[in-house]
Amino acid sequence: MANTSGNAYALTCLSPIRKGCIEDGSGVGTGTAYSDDVRHRLQTWGLLEHSPMAKVPQTYLCRYFVLDDVYYQSLSGPDFFSTMYDILSFFSDRFREMALPREDHLKSKYLVFSCNLHGDVDAYLRGMWHAIEEDIRRIWGYCYGFEQVRDADSFAAYVRKCQLKASLFFVGSNDDPLPEQLKALYLKQEFSRFAVEHQGLPATELQQAYRAFMQRVQPLNLAGPSWQPGQSTP
Amino acid sequence: MTKQLDLPDIQGNVVRAYGRFNFPFARYVFFNIRDGRRGRAFVGAVTEQVTTAQRWGLGPDEIPKPPSTVNVAFTYPGMKALELPRASLVGFPMEFIMGMKKRKDILGDDLQSAPERWDPVWRDSREHDRHKDVHMWISINGQSKADVEQRYEWLQQLVAHSAGGVAILSGHRGDDGAEHLPFQDLHVVFENGKPTPKEHFGYTDGIGDPVFEGLPGNPERVTGRGKQMKDGSWAPLATGEFLLGHRDEADEYPIAPSPQLLSRNGTFMVYRKLHENVGTFNAFLDRASRNYPGGKELLAAKFVGRWRDNGAPLVSAPDAASKAAWDEKFAQADRRERDRMLSGFTYDNDMQGAKCPFSAHLRRINPRAALEFTPDAFNTPGALTNRRRLIRRGLPYGEVKDPTRDDGNHGIVIMMLNASILRQFEFVQQQWINYGNDFKAANDKEIILGNHNDQYPSKAVIQSDPDGDGAPYFLANIPRMVETRGGDYFFIPSMTALRMIAKGIVDPT
């Protein structure tokens, strides 16, 4: 499955979380499982513009969750073979049981990080480390293998090792760099406001107002007025 | 054999808009059930007088047209108070159990429409005092005021006879600041003493209810009211979109409580009392039409999708000239042709919204096939619409004494009937009334009903012909013209279910 779409990249990463419970300093268990603590830490993150991920450059959309186990997918429909097995059950239950789907389980719980981003994935992950190193350490700290992560490069290498080949794309986004998309949204909104506020003006006045508008919104200046990552209200 | 409904088992308000059958007056009374056994006895006594969906006439399978009608529905707490078995109660859909108040975030009932501002009877229901909970709705529609009064007296006698088993809840707002009326009175808008199908903004209302399988009436009515098919023809919608216990548009039975006899031929009703800010509406129409090239009446029509005077759809009469031609044809048309002219249209020739804007009431509430923006995109043109249809019942209340003011007693009680409040009413309200993305109208709200606010001022676009010279026209700072004043979610049982509830013999095992 391709996990690139133009300049957009779909990253899915599953990091196994340590089994067992957190110990206090002296080797005594606290009764809280590592995975439960990771979930708790994620649940105390801020949302939207208050999320640490709003500080990570080029993030279109991302999601974290703790995967406890896989779900049982129910019985398969009656195809030819299961019907055959059903008939054979006349002879033995063993045949019938063979027709049942096997139940799968995960070997450990996983921290799942699913993210749509712009550009090169390694550069993105290094940028992520530089932006929110503390938060990364708090979230990934209980994952197997994370002790090898020391810096931006080793973090990128670690995530890539945990990467799952899946292409989960968020359709609300194209593949332009995030600041360009945010600016485009801002311009679209400001322009429709301009159109509403200035309808019916004589051409010269309209032109004048339009010039002032262009000066204010600075269409080509990405660092100028725009929406901020994660921002949810004007 | 074509499907036939069990009309004697279905309550009459499900198939008939009484206002259209010369019942211009109505009174809605709400009850609290204080005692299960006596409450059930009361329901039993009322049930004997409930108006069914049977045809009116003097034939063998008909009933004489009554001077007044009676219909009954219950809220979830009402079903509990009547001591329905728990195993039946848990089968009701989640949104019905929650009730309308708790769904306010989905419905956009905020600011002036927030439950704290509702009429006392609704404001206090399902709060702290269970004696104030609305449990039961009984509607009386009458051919005259006296007919309504007579029925109401009968109802009061039954209440007295129930010896405290049920109590009439007061707390309806009325004329001159009244806050504690014991009923909601309604009547059509009269002009020069004659009843009209108008509401208080001057629009012709109540045109074009859905037609579904088994519904009696002339088969041509399906045009514009049923579902649009791939070949351009029309077919009735599946019965299960409007009645429980019947197959719906997904070939499934709607979610309903057991036993089947409790739910079959019943449906859910959304009751909403909507105050109309007549002064705000008139001022906004004046302000917005000042520079509108088509003039005030056309702009008023653009808000709704129909001309105010006779309901002519904009798709068929998009400007003054075509309206004049439409009027002439309408004047000479017979009843069937008139009906077809009012309802039998599509948006096929108006996919850009140049005639009927995307945010007009009509287009939002029933988009017909207009959400299929790419021809043949779906396996049926109404794929996004057919499961979002609503039967609308309702009447205006109050009178406009000063058209420049908002604070009089005037509005409309609208009741929407559907098999799934969640999928039908709530979806339409949330996605199509208070949001516009499905119509490619971004977050523009429906112009008249949208919950516009000052914090994020609403706009709407009156589209123009993309091949013409005219510019689109923008409505800016749209004020809130309609405010919610109360309501709840009700279950309208079948006659069978009413009798079983009354006898306490509902048995889901």
Side-chain angles (χ1 to χ4, degrees):
Chain A
M1 261 190 290
N3 51 8
T4 54
S5 166
N7 292 313
Y9 190 98
L11 171 70
T12 307
C13 148
L14 273 77
S15 309
I17 301 171
R18 266 197 254 170
K19 280 188 181 177
C21 289
I22 301 172
E23 294 167 13
D24 69 358
S26 58
V28 180
T30 59
T32 302
Y34 290 115
S35 57
D36 290 339
D37 201 46
V38 175
R39 181 177 283 128
H40 177 70
R41 288 174 183 198
L42 283 172
Q43 285 171 343
T44 52
W45 266 16
L47 296 173
L48 301 168
E49 56 265 61
H50 306 296
S51 163
M53 291 305 291
K55 295 185 208 145
V56 178
Q58 305 292 4
T59 309
Y60 292 155
L61 183 96
C62 78
R63 187 177 180 213
Y64 287 89
F65 61 94
V66 172
L67 181 65
D68 289 315
D69 205 346
V70 285
Y71 281 90
Y72 174 60
Q73 295 284 343
S74 92
L75 291 171
S76 54
D79 57 11
F80 172 75
F81 289 105
S82 41
T83 310
M84 276 302 288
Y85 282 122
D86 261 356
I87 295 166
L88 291 174
S89 69
F90 178 71
F91 300 102
S92 157
D93 260 2
R94 199 161 60 85
F95 288 103
R96 246 170 84 81
E97 281 158 13
M98 280 167 70
L100 295 175
R102 279 178 233 308
E103 213 175 300
D104 287 325
H105 293 284
L106 295 178
K107 286 205 182 97
S108 71
K109 302 190 176 191
Y110 286 87
L111 167 64
V112 181
F113 171 49
S114 177
C115 177
N116 281 194
L117 56 105
H118 171 82
D120 175 66
V121 65
D122 293 306
Y124 172 83
L125 289 168
R126 286 194 296 271
M128 181 170 161
W129 180 267
H130 292 310
I132 57 162
E133 180 187 335
E134 273 311 299
D135 296 292
I136 291 174
R137 286 186 186 281
R138 272 183 66 74
I139 295 302
W140 263 278
Y142 294 137
C143 290
Y144 286 112
F146 189 76
E147 62 279 0
Q148 290 157 17
V149 174
R150 264 166 212 95
D151 52 19
D153 285 330
S154 52
F155 173 65
Y158 172 77
V159 170
R160 300 279 271 164
K161 233 181 187 168
C162 300
Q163 188 177 357
L164 190 78
K165 283 215 172 96
S167 55
L168 304 168
F169 278 104
F170 167 56
V171 291
S173 185
N174 60 26
D175 71 333
D176 288 339
L178 185 69
E180 284 184 29
Q181 290 200 36
L182 292 173
K183 185 81 192 193
L185 273 177
Y186 167 79
L187 285 176
K188 188 177 169 184
Q189 236 164 15
E190 290 298 312
F191 182 71
S192 56
R193 191 171 305 157
F194 173 84
V196 168
E197 284 169 3
H198 294 85
Q199 76 175 331
L201 279 192
T204 45
E205 272 176 60
L206 186 62
Q207 208 163 36
Q208 221 169 14
Y210 186 67
R211 271 196 221 105
F213 166 77
M214 292 296 269
Q215 219 155 27
R216 179 171 67 80
V217 298
Q218 306 170 44
L220 298 176
N221 179 11
L222 294 180
S226 182
W227 278 73
Q228 298 309 304
Q231 189 183 339
S232 57
T233 47
Chain B
M1 192 178 141
T2 49
K3 187 174 182 106
Q4 285 191 319
L5 296 180
D6 305 325
L7 296 177
D9 195 38
I10 299 169
Q11 291 204 45
N13 57 332
V14 178
V15 304
R16 277 195 197 94
Y18 293 128
R20 300 240 131 202
F21 290 84
N22 293 323
F23 290 82
F25 302 95
R27 177 168 291 178
Y28 300 152
V29 194
F30 296 88
F31 297 82
N32 180 263
I33 295 159
R34 301 269 158 91
D35 175 86
R37 189 179 53 80
R38 280 173 284 161
R40 288 194 297 275
F42 175 80
V43 171
V46 172
T47 300
E48 287 177 23
Q49 294 295 318
V50 164
T51 310
T52 71
Q54 261 175 305
R55 272 172 220 273
W56 286 332
L58 300 171
D61 283 332
E62 296 175 328
I63 48 170
K65 184 174 175 177
S68 63
T69 63
V70 177
N71 291 103
V72 188
F74 303 99
T75 60
Y76 179 77
M79 308 294 285
K80 254 171 99 170
L82 288 167
E83 298 170 327
L84 247 75
R86 188 56 61 96
S88 292
L89 290 171
V90 295
F92 278 106
M94 168 270 303
E95 72 280 5
F96 172 71
I97 293 174
M98 287 173 76
M100 195 169 92
K101 196 183 269 178
K102 290 243 161 64
R103 308 290 284 174
K104 67 185 164 102
D105 292 343
I106 285 169
L107 304 179
D109 285 334
D110 60 358
L111 305 171
Q112 307 96 300
S113 297
E116 307 87 78
R117 311 276 294 264
W118 291 359
D119 282 13
V121 66
W122 300 112
R123 185 191 63 209
D124 299 339
S125 176
R126 300 173 89 160
E127 292 290 339
H128 310 295
D129 181 357
R130 51 192 291 262
H131 281 170
K132 291 186 173 174
D133 288 355
V134 173
H135 286 159
M136 176 169 40
W137 165 85
I138 296 184
S139 66
I140 301 169
N141 288 65
Q143 299 198 35
S144 73
K145 264 186 185 167
D147 292 324
V148 171
E149 282 296 343
Q150 209 178 345
R151 276 288 195 192
Y152 183 64
E153 274 168 35
W154 160 78
L155 207 50
Q156 281 177 310
Q157 282 165 15
L158 290 187
V159 172
H161 190 69
S162 84
V166 301
I168 292 178
L169 291 166
S170 62
H172 300 274
R173 292 197 187 115
D175 282 331
D176 308 317
E179 284 263 313
H180 293 288
L181 300 179
F183 42 71
Q184 176 69 57
D185 264 343
L186 306 104
H187 58 82
V188 301
V189 171
F190 288 90
E191 274 173 11
N192 307 319
K194 277 189 170 170
T196 72
K198 299 265 173 82
E199 50 67 64
H200 296 299
F201 293 155
Y203 292 98
T204 303
D205 206 11
I207 306 170
D209 252 346
V211 164
F212 55 91
E213 283 176 48
L215 197 67
N218 122 46
E220 293 159 29
R221 289 175 73 248
V222 75
T223 308
R225 290 197 175 95
K227 56 183 177 188
Q228 212 170 323
M229 307 301 278
K230 234 183 161 66
D231 62 0
S233 65
W234 291 82
L237 289 147
T239 314
E241 293 296 314
F242 306 100
L243 280 178
L244 305 178
H246 297 264
R247 229 164 58 160
D248 66 18
E249 282 289 328
D251 277 341
E252 290 169 350
Y253 286 105
I255 297 170
S258 54
Q260 202 222 21
L261 284 180
L262 172 64
S263 51
R264 186 170 180 272
N265 288 335
T267 189
F268 292 104
M269 173 178 91
V270 176
Y271 180 100
R272 275 169 90 74
K273 179 175 180 178
L274 301 174
H275 174 75
E276 297 186 84
N277 287 327
V278 175
T280 297
F281 169 84
N282 285 323
F284 175 66
L285 179 58
D286 282 342
R287 162 165 73 82
S289 62
R290 212 162 292 146
N291 297 315
Y292 181 63
K296 182 172 161 178
E297 269 315 308
L298 179 59
L299 191 65
K302 292 278 188 184
F303 291 178
V304 158
R306 291 186 188 277
W307 291 84
R308 284 203 288 185
D309 58 347
N310 56 12
L314 275 179
V315 206
S316 314
D319 50 33
S322 52
K323 170 69 165 40
W326 193 94
D327 285 352
E328 201 176 322
K329 201 177 156 200
F330 191 66
Q332 285 158 19
D334 62 15
R335 231 181 108 183
R336 283 191 179 190
E337 177 60 9
R338 282 187 171 203
D339 190 64
R340 199 198 58 76
M341 287 178 75
L342 287 170
S343 294
F345 62 88
T346 70
Y347 296 105
D348 295 355
N349 292 319
D350 188 32
M351 290 307 282
Q352 311 282 349
K355 295 173 184 165
C356 179
F358 291 132
S359 297
H361 175 72
L362 198 61
R363 198 156 180 151
R364 291 290 185 102
I365 213 107
N366 177 14
R368 296 159 194 247
L371 294 179
E372 193 185 47
F373 282 98
T374 312
D376 295 325
F378 312 137
N379 64 358
T380 182
L384 297 187
T385 310
N386 296 345
R387 309 214 67 204
R388 317 284 186 197
R389 301 294 303 279
L390 297 160
I391 296 176
R392 289 170 298 151
R393 298 278 175 260
L395 276 176
Y397 65 85
E399 255 171 278
V400 177
K401 290 172 181 156
D402 181 349
T404 66
R405 293 179 68 98
D406 286 340
D407 56 1
N409 173 43
H410 38 70
I412 183 164
V413 168
I414 177 99
M415 288 158 295
M416 281 150 295
L417 277 51
N418 46 204
S420 166
I421 293 173
L422 176 85
R423 193 189 68 239
Q424 290 160 280
F425 164 69
E426 288 189 343
F427 181 93
V428 170
Q429 181 72 18
Q430 183 185 38
Q431 297 294 320
W432 291 354
I433 302 290
N434 289 327
Y435 195 51
N437 201 42
D438 281 1
F439 297 81
K440 299 197 175 180
N443 54 2
D444 287 1
K445 301 170 191 289
E446 193 259 73
I447 297 165
I448 296 277
L449 288 178
N451 63 343
H452 311 291
N453 63 68
D454 298 335
Q455 199 189 355
Y456 304 114
S458 278
K459 72 157 200 322
V461 184
I462 308 296
Q463 284 82 16
S464 61
D465 183 355
D467 298 326
D469 295 329
Y473 190 74
F474 303 110
L475 301 175
N477 302 312
I478 306 174
R480 191 170 297 194
M481 293 179 265
V482 173
E483 295 172 5
T484 312
R485 286 289 162 86
D488 211 335
Y489 294 162
F490 290 84
F491 172 58
I492 306 181
S494 68
M495 297 306 294
T496 301
L498 273 178
R499 290 180 196 116
M500 287 168 61
I501 291 167
K503 284 211 154 37
I505 56 166
V506 173
D507 185 359
T509 56

